Structure formats: C-alpha cells, structure tokens
Amino acid sequence: MRVVIAQKHLSLNKRLARESNGISKKFSVKNYSKIENIDALLLKRDISVERKKGILIKKLHEAVLRAFSIDKGSLNKKAFALLKKRIYNIRKVINKLRSINYYLETVFLEDLSLSNIKMKKQRKLKQRNALARDELEALEYTAYKLIGEVVTLDKRLLREYSQREKTIVSKEKIEIRDIEPMLRKESEILEHIEAKLPPPRAAGAALIKEPVFTHWIARIFSLLSYLEHIHSKELILFSKLKKNKKAKMMISKKINQLLREKSKLVGIMEEKFISMRRLDIDSGLKKDIHNLTTIINL
C-alpha cells in the first residue's frame, strides 16, 4: 500500500521518538512524581488566543511524552497512580485547546469573513470526518514507524503491520482558504487523542500490559505528531493573515480585550431587546451571547 506523507510530518515523528527514548532512559518514580500544575496557564487571559494555543500545544507535547515515556518495569502502584494524574492533566490541556479551536472555527473566522460554513449547513458539515482516508493511512504508517523507533514499545508487534511503500512529499502548498479545514482537522485530532485517554477512574492496569500498551501509545504519539504538523502549517497561514491590517489586529488581541468587547456588545444588545419589548430573543443577541460564552472558555 502506498502512503503519502509530508517530509516535515515524518521529521516530527522521528523527533518525538528520539525525545521519548531520552526521557524513558532517565525514568524514575521520584522524577515521575513531579507533575507540573498547569491550571494557572489554562486560565491565563492576558495573551492572545494564537499565543495561548501555541503554548498549550507545546505543553501537550511535553505532557504526553513525560506521561508515556516510562519504564514499565518500574511502574509500581504509586507510579500508576501518578500516570492517572498525568492523563487527567493532559485531558485538561486538550479540552482547553478544543475550546480555542472552536473559537477560531466560529467567532474568529466569521469576524474575518473567512468562514465558508453557512449556518444551516454547519451541523451536517461538522458530522463529516475532517481527516481524509489518506491521512488516516498516514497515521497508521507513523504509528508503525513509532513502534520500531520508541524503545518502550514492543517490537514484536511490528509483525502485525504489512510493509507499506511510502511517498514523501517534500513541500506542501498552503493557501489562506485552507485555514478552516485545517482547524477542523486539528479539532478532530484532539478528539481522537482525548478518546484514547480514559478518565482516571476508568484507567485500569490493563493499559500498561502488552500488546495494549504499544498499540495505545503508538497511536497517541502518532496523533500528537500530526497535530503538531498541522499546527505548523496553521502558523504559516496566520503569518500570511497578519499582512492584512484587520486580521493582524484581531490575531493580536488579548483574550481579556475580546471578553470586554463582546461583553459590552451583549450589554448594548440586551438594552435594545428590553426597550423593544420583543417576545423572542433577537437573533443578533443570540449570536452575541453565543460568541461571548465561546470566548469565556478560552
């Protein structure tokens, strides 16, 4: 089977494997117990949405690697409890990233008139898979490569994978119109990662037994590297958007400023609604309240 994969995506995959190997070699329960408190970062609003997303993507990378680059032989009962805490932290980062992406897919693109999704078609389009078949095949290929390169994964499972012929695409053309489908891809990848991370109460010891552990971690790592690949392309598009004065102002706005602006707008719309004594909520007010609640979650 032929698999099309970008050179940069493959490079990110290899880098992730190297980092995982370096962390697992130094694994100790003492170091594993040092879990960063990320709550302050999740609530941080004195930065732009773009910058916060970039920081959270890096935190997700670090949190996933440090949670799963382990020495299974040293994973006693205490360490397994720490693994569950780390998974809980990762889920919190993912939830915040999903909120940010939802804002970018809706409020941000609508304000810039870049959204191609009409309201009546939005639900139907959201139900479609953002990841194409060739991308899913590439994810399986990178998972297969990771099993071969990450020292903590069981190499015996490589026999389950058929040999694939790969085509490496050295360069990808990126256009402004690609930003919406790109954001949808990121959102779907985040959903896939979250689905592979059970809540602490549902995380059982079977997760660290083979072949479950290798299949589980290879796919999480594969999804993470692809998320970072898509995000790197998103950054290129944002740099292009910044050439537009209106877009640059919107991208640079701090979350606190967005909140103040939307809150003020909702207040004006509420006064208008009350003065007109309508029985039904004005559609403009509905939209502004929705936008405000979306931004509150950033």
Side-chain angles (χ1 to χ4, degrees):
M1 185 186 293
R2 178 172 293 228
V3 176
V4 178
I5 183 167
Q7 178 66 60
K8 185 162 187 179
H9 179 196
L10 198 59
S11 297
L12 287 169
N13 215 56
K14 287 180 177 294
R15 188 194 74 180
L16 192 149
R18 287 195 302 270
E19 290 180 6
S20 176
N21 292 341
I23 294 170
S24 63
K25 286 177 183 177
K26 299 176 182 177
F27 179 84
S28 71
V29 176
K30 183 179 179 180
N31 288 333
Y32 199 61
S33 65
K34 299 172 183 175
I35 303 174
E36 181 183 3
N37 187 335
I38 51 132
D39 291 342
L41 172 59
L42 296 178
L43 296 172
K44 191 174 179 62
R45 286 179 172 167
D46 59 346
I47 55 175
S48 69
V49 176
E50 179 201 22
R51 184 153 179 262
K52 184 168 182 177
K53 181 176 179 178
I55 293 170
L56 287 172
I57 290 282
K58 290 177 181 176
K59 285 293 179 187
L60 179 63
H61 175 95
E62 182 182 342
V64 167
L65 279 175
R66 295 201 174 278
F68 302 119
S69 301
I70 56 179
D71 175 7
K72 294 197 296 294
S74 303
L75 208 65
N76 54 27
K77 188 175 181 180
K78 178 184 176 182
F80 187 72
L82 293 168
L83 171 62
K84 293 199 286 186
K85 287 182 180 179
R86 287 180 176 273
I87 290 174
Y88 178 64
N89 260 10
I90 295 169
R91 286 174 63 91
K92 288 197 290 186
V93 175
I94 288 173
N95 284 332
K96 186 61 68 174
L97 281 168
R98 288 183 64 184
S99 294
I100 288 173
N101 254 39
Y102 182 73
Y103 161 78
L104 292 172
E105 289 177 60
T106 56
V107 181
F108 177 77
L109 291 184
E110 286 170 12
D111 285 352
L112 284 180
S113 302
L114 288 174
S115 178
N116 295 317
I117 297 180
K118 293 182 179 179
M119 292 303 292
K120 63 180 180 180
K121 294 182 179 179
Q122 187 169 357
R123 184 175 298 175
K124 185 181 290 186
L125 285 169
K126 283 288 185 182
Q127 290 173 347
R128 295 181 187 174
N129 289 333
L131 296 174
R133 182 178 177 180
D134 61 334
E135 290 174 294
L136 294 173
E137 289 174 352
L139 284 167
E140 275 299 297
Y141 175 78
T142 52
Y144 154 79
K145 292 292 289 181
L146 282 161
I147 291 175
E149 294 170 1
V150 176
V151 295
T152 58
L153 302 184
D154 190 348
K155 306 299 177 284
R156 291 174 296 180
L157 297 183
L158 290 173
R159 288 176 295 186
E160 296 181 14
Y161 289 77
S162 59
Q163 292 297 315
R164 295 175 170 88
E165 177 188 354
K166 68 176 184 296
T167 301
I168 299 175
V169 181
S170 59
K171 191 174 181 180
E172 296 173 296
K173 188 176 180 181
I174 308 171
E175 299 178 3
I176 294 295
R177 66 184 179 186
D178 296 327
I179 191 165
E180 187 172 33
M182 199 173 290
L183 289 168
R184 292 206 307 272
K185 286 182 195 294
E186 288 179 344
S187 293
E188 186 168 337
I189 294 167
L190 287 165
E191 287 177 20
H192 279 297
I193 298 175
E194 185 178 25
K196 295 187 182 302
L197 298 170
R201 65 181 180 278
L207 286 172
I208 57 172
K209 293 179 180 178
E210 295 296 355
V212 174
F213 182 81
T214 292
H215 283 305
W216 181 42
I217 301 310
R219 282 167 176 77
I220 290 175
F221 281 6
S222 176
L223 288 163
L224 177 62
S225 71
Y226 195 45
L227 175 67
E228 292 179 309
H229 174 56
I230 299 294
H231 183 246
S232 69
K233 295 195 289 184
E234 179 196 328
L235 292 176
I236 294 171
L237 289 184
F238 267 76
S239 67
K240 290 182 178 181
L241 277 174
K242 286 177 183 176
K243 293 177 182 178
N244 176 285
K245 188 175 180 181
K246 179 184 176 183
K248 185 177 181 179
M249 286 177 64
M250 272 205 66
I251 293 169
S252 301
K253 280 182 182 177
K254 294 182 178 180
I255 298 169
N256 280 332
Q257 185 180 352
L258 288 169
L259 272 170
R260 286 195 299 270
E261 289 179 1
K262 293 298 179 183
S263 297
K264 186 176 180 181
L265 189 56
V266 168
I268 293 170
M269 292 295 290
E270 282 179 331
E271 288 178 8
K272 177 185 174 184
F273 166 68
I274 292 168
S275 65
M276 295 181 75
R277 297 181 180 278
R278 293 182 180 177
L279 294 175
D280 296 319
I281 296 178
D282 181 87
S283 60
L285 178 56
K286 279 184 180 179
K287 181 179 177 181
D288 288 322
I289 290 174
H290 173 265
N291 290 351
L292 176 59
T293 54
T294 297
I295 294 170
I296 286 171
N297 290 323
L298 297 179

